[in-house]
Amino acid sequence: MSSDEGGGVGAGLGAGSAGRGLWVEEPVRRRRMPDSVRTSAVRAVLIVAVTLTQATITFFLTLTGSWLALPMGLGAIAGTIVATWGVLDVWITRQTWNQRYGVLSEPSSTARSRRKEARRAAREASAGRIPREDGPLAASGRYSAR
């Protein structure tokens, strides 16, 4: 059995594995978040993590009957409000960034090609139309058949 067939301890470590390097670049699946959105997301994750830790400690202090349970409970409630604000901050920052910088106007835009197709269809429809001589504007003489 050769090392290319995959057997033994040293399989894949000989001359047959020279084609694949140690570091392999993989294509990015999604674009990187903008800096302002990433900053608010990190802030929100830290706030939520502290709040969950505080709530867990409050739960255990309540089980033991400690006097610290009440102040920690009030702190956990305040932390929940702050964590909710943090998550909303991420959402609002992301929406604001998308409104300011998210729209790209390119010649290959789908909206532009759709408008072009609609104009072409309208021209083709009007070119094949036969003008009427007995219409409501025919009496004025301004819109005669060409």
Side-chain angles (χ1 to χ4, degrees):
M1 185 191 287
S2 71
S3 64
D4 291 339
E5 294 174 2
V9 177
L13 295 177
S17 66
R20 182 178 168 102
L22 185 61
W23 185 269
V24 178
E25 290 284 335
E26 294 183 3
V28 179
R29 293 185 187 145
R30 286 195 293 178
R31 288 185 306 176
R32 183 175 165 171
M33 280 193 293
D35 288 340
S36 58
V37 178
R38 189 171 52 250
T39 302
S40 64
V42 168
R43 186 184 318 122
V45 166
L46 290 174
I47 291 171
V48 168
V50 168
T51 303
L52 287 175
T53 305
Q54 192 174 13
T56 304
I57 292 171
T58 303
F59 173 72
F60 287 127
L61 286 175
T62 305
L63 286 180
T64 59
S66 174
W67 64 273
L68 285 173
L70 179 64
M72 285 292 286
L74 295 175
I77 292 171
T80 303
I81 293 169
V82 172
T84 304
W85 167 83
V87 172
L88 283 175
D89 181 44
V90 173
W91 183 62
I92 291 169
T93 306
R94 184 171 174 265
Q95 293 298 326
T96 305
W97 193 92
N98 281 337
Q99 285 180 358
R100 287 184 185 162
Y101 311 108
V103 179
L104 297 177
S105 179
E106 297 177 357
S108 62
S109 171
T110 354
R112 189 167 293 165
S113 63
R114 285 184 183 168
R115 281 196 314 253
K116 194 183 291 185
E117 289 174 13
R119 281 194 303 261
R120 185 181 309 128
R123 266 188 262 130
E124 290 173 359
S126 66
R129 196 170 61 185
I130 301 172
R132 293 182 57 186
E133 296 190 18
D134 61 340
L137 299 176
S140 67
R142 292 175 58 188
Y143 299 101
S144 60
R146 295 181 190 166

